[in-house]
Amino acid sequence: MNLPTALESPGARRADAALAVRLEDVSVRYRVPREHIATLKERAIRQLQRRVQFDEFWALRNVNVEVRRGEVLGIIGRNGAGKSTLLKVIARVLRPTTGSVWLRGRVAPLLEFGAGFHPELTGRENVFLNGALLGFSRAEMEAKFKHIVDFAELWDFIDAPLRTYSSGMVARLGFAVATDVNPDILIVDEILGVGDAEFQQKSADRIHGFLRSGATILLVSHSLDAIRNLCNRAIWLDNGRIVAGGTADQVIDAYLGSVAAREETRLAQEQAQPVQQDRWGSGEVEIADVRFIDARGQARHVFSTGEPMTARIRYHAKTRVDKPVFGIAIYRGDGIHVNGPNTRFADFDIDWIEGDGEIDYAIEHLPLLEGSYDFSVAIYDYACVHPYDHQHRLYKFLVQRGSVKENYGLVYLPAHWEHRRT
Amino acid sequence: MPDCQIMYLRNQRKLSKIATVKMAIQSVKAIEPLVYDSTRPRIAILEDAVELFRYRDLLWSLVQRDLTVRYKRSVLGFLWTMLNPLFTMLVLTIVFSALFHMAVENFAVYLLAGLLLWNFFSAGTTMAMSNLVWGGGLLNKIYVPKSIFVVSAIFVNLVNLLLALVPLALIMLVTGQRFSPALSFLPIAILLTFFFALGVALCVAALAVFFVDVIDIYQVGLMILSYLTPIIYPISIVPDRFRFFIHLNPMYYFVELFRQPIYQGTLPELGLVARAALAAVVSLVVGWWFFTRKADEFAYRA
């Protein structure tokens, strides 16, 4: 008989000293009554009629995650993908419907700042109440108190009721209490900037301090830059399942790929129904369509900074038109006019057109940075005063981050740096 | 082999429950490092009690908050705790002794003693419900032992009861009521009522999280129960054939336990104490069991 001793299996799991968090097959199910039954009376009647029906909603499904000590794990995904539920399960707020959560160490959940703050209590009383809610003893809070108020810079108001505080002051106090910890495991839902610019700097410094201190961190953020910069590893959640896991770069690239694919479908659908009001002209020549072509000759709507992009404009001229001028314009989504070239500026003369044809506007290296852009096309007479067909901002394309790492401003200018010590 | 397997599983369950108890005891002593394992076989009843003890500082903070907030903006502050029952007593005394010629000697003391204990029970249980339902926003944001909101409500009202003993003593002085040595029984009476109220509060508060109208239904129930409790009338006016209903009402025992030392100056008889103690224990065990069984679901509801 070779039965394992009773405590071996859980004991063996705990033995891995390098492990901080382990989620095994974690699922969380919300049962939403199909009809809202908030009263006992109604519920009793329904129960008797056996008509209580629930819609099941799985916020998490079979999630397996292991985080080693000192690791920084990023969690990305769309809104409603289950990111916050995952954090709540780890923070013990929710007990998983099935599966197991195991973790070792003191957890500091930065999910909610100023939980339980009461407007009638003074700042001092609120600090102690909030600290107690976070699980600190009275003695611990007394030791921390000075440090907390120093950090929040609220000594002048600490004995005034919280209702007299500005919202920024409340946020500062909440942040100061919640982060005045020395946790083994830190759970962060967005690195929230609270207060003014100076305090935001201080709070960012504090979060970065946790990173340097070697704490295990689980970070949810919509800022992919933050995840890329801070995390060793990342997981991508969609509809409660882990779609991808690996190094932060791998996971983010996969995620961006899927975002691009989705945007692609959306834009393709949008452009299937052109809007007529932003179009004018006498109509001798008509623009049939505009497509954006990538390096492989495929039509796309999503491009990366730095890659080739060709706008291919198909037209139909009902009669012979002499010396037409083709022009395009690019606008950023917020209305900034990026450029507006035409064939005449480029001394690219077209003697005449008749019937069908197409014209390419080819960009060798797309210099535009991440964002959504509108595209206008027009055909004018040689004097550029008479429009045959003008389609104003009717076409759209997106630019996402590619190999170019810049992300401030509008364009990437091909340039290089040099340095000399003189 | 299957038999053996079952035996093994049973043993494993038993053993790991023992391990749970050991770990629970350890976690009281050493808060860090904590290990949280959601699959560890749990004895929810025990574990939540341990957690409650670990968060005792939060309990005092919540009690303090409720007491401070309540009287913060009023000029008289804590005096209201004492003035409130005084005014109620004054009105009821006038109405019942002057208009209805209630044949109770020193009606003011009789009434006030019953009223204070009843208020402790009814206000405590009601506050526990609203604490958990309206303060429940916290439950799906941070981890705290959920029973703490209920326990703190009962504690707040216990403090109010203790404060209200001052005006009661004043009335006793003014009306020439004898202060008997039997008064030393009061702590036991209050303690038993405390446990009974806590048990009831745990039950109704857990229900109220799921069904909001429990709060309203409970108010109706309280009203009926208050008429079934001899507070403004003496039990002697109840016809014999209805006494049975009053004896079914546990609040009758607790009121008697509390009022006899004050009003009659005698110790309550042992049978009464035993029945009250039984009611308190049953209420607490059932309430705690029901609450801890449901507590994990609260965060899903809030």
Side-chain angles (χ1 to χ4, degrees), chain A residues 68-275:
Chain A
R68 307 182 84 74
R69 278 161 72 178
E71 211 167 34
V72 183
L73 179 78
I75 301 162
I76 57 175
R78 280 195 286 167
N79 284 331
K83 304 186 296 288
S84 296
T85 306
L86 184 66
L87 293 192
K88 280 182 183 176
V89 162
I90 297 169
R92 292 185 74 178
V93 175
L94 279 181
R95 190 172 280 275
T97 312
T98 60
S100 72
V101 178
W102 176 93
L103 53 88
R104 176 180 16 221
R106 181 152 212 165
V107 182
L110 304 190
L111 306 177
E112 179 81 12
F113 295 134
F117 269 0
H118 197 290
E120 289 296 331
L121 297 178
T122 66
R124 185 188 300 271
E125 288 163 334
N126 270 305
V127 167
F128 281 97
L129 177 62
N130 189 227
L133 277 164
L134 295 172
F136 296 109
S137 71
R138 183 91 197 168
E140 283 175 294
M141 287 311 291
E142 259 153 25
K144 288 158 168 287
F145 183 72
K146 187 181 173 299
H147 196 234
I148 288 171
V149 185
D150 277 344
F151 187 84
E153 299 167 23
L154 285 171
W155 279 111
D156 293 344
F157 307 94
I158 200 64
D159 287 312
L162 205 72
R163 66 187 145 85
T164 62
Y165 284 34
S166 72
S167 56
M169 285 154 73
V170 175
R172 263 152 59 188
L173 197 61
F175 183 91
V177 181
T179 58
D180 201 291
V181 285
N182 195 8
D184 303 304
I185 301 167
L186 190 70
I187 298 174
V188 188
D189 197 351
E190 292 290 349
I191 302 176
L192 298 162
V194 295
D196 55 16
E198 196 192 325
F199 191 77
Q200 281 188 14
Q201 189 54 48
K202 265 173 88 174
S203 45
D205 282 351
R206 184 162 265 189
I207 298 281
H208 287 108
F210 288 129
L211 282 163
R212 280 191 304 274
S213 73
T216 311
I217 299 180
L218 290 101
L219 171 67
V220 161
S221 182
H222 286 288
S223 158
L224 299 179
D225 286 321
I227 304 269
R228 232 189 255 274
N229 292 333
L230 301 175
C231 301
N232 328 87
R233 280 204 310 132
I235 54 171
W236 164 22
L237 279 178
D238 197 37
N239 283 327
R241 294 176 194 273
I242 295 187
V243 184
T247 69
D249 280 328
Q250 283 169 353
V251 174
I252 289 171
D253 288 345
Y255 176 66
L256 282 178
S258 116
V259 170
R262 210 168 35 240
E263 287 294 322
E264 188 71 56
T265 350
R266 188 177 64 83
L267 285 180
Q269 277 167 1
E270 241 172 53
Q271 302 208 346
Q273 316 135 352
V275 193

Side-chain angles (χ1 to χ4, degrees), chain A residues 363-385:
Chain A
I363 304 169
E364 259 176 71
H365 301 288
L366 187 67
L368 299 173
L369 297 182
E370 192 171 11
S372 81
Y373 293 88
D374 293 346
F375 193 85
S376 302
V377 208
I379 307 174
Y380 274 71
D381 68 341
Y382 193 67
C384 292
V385 289

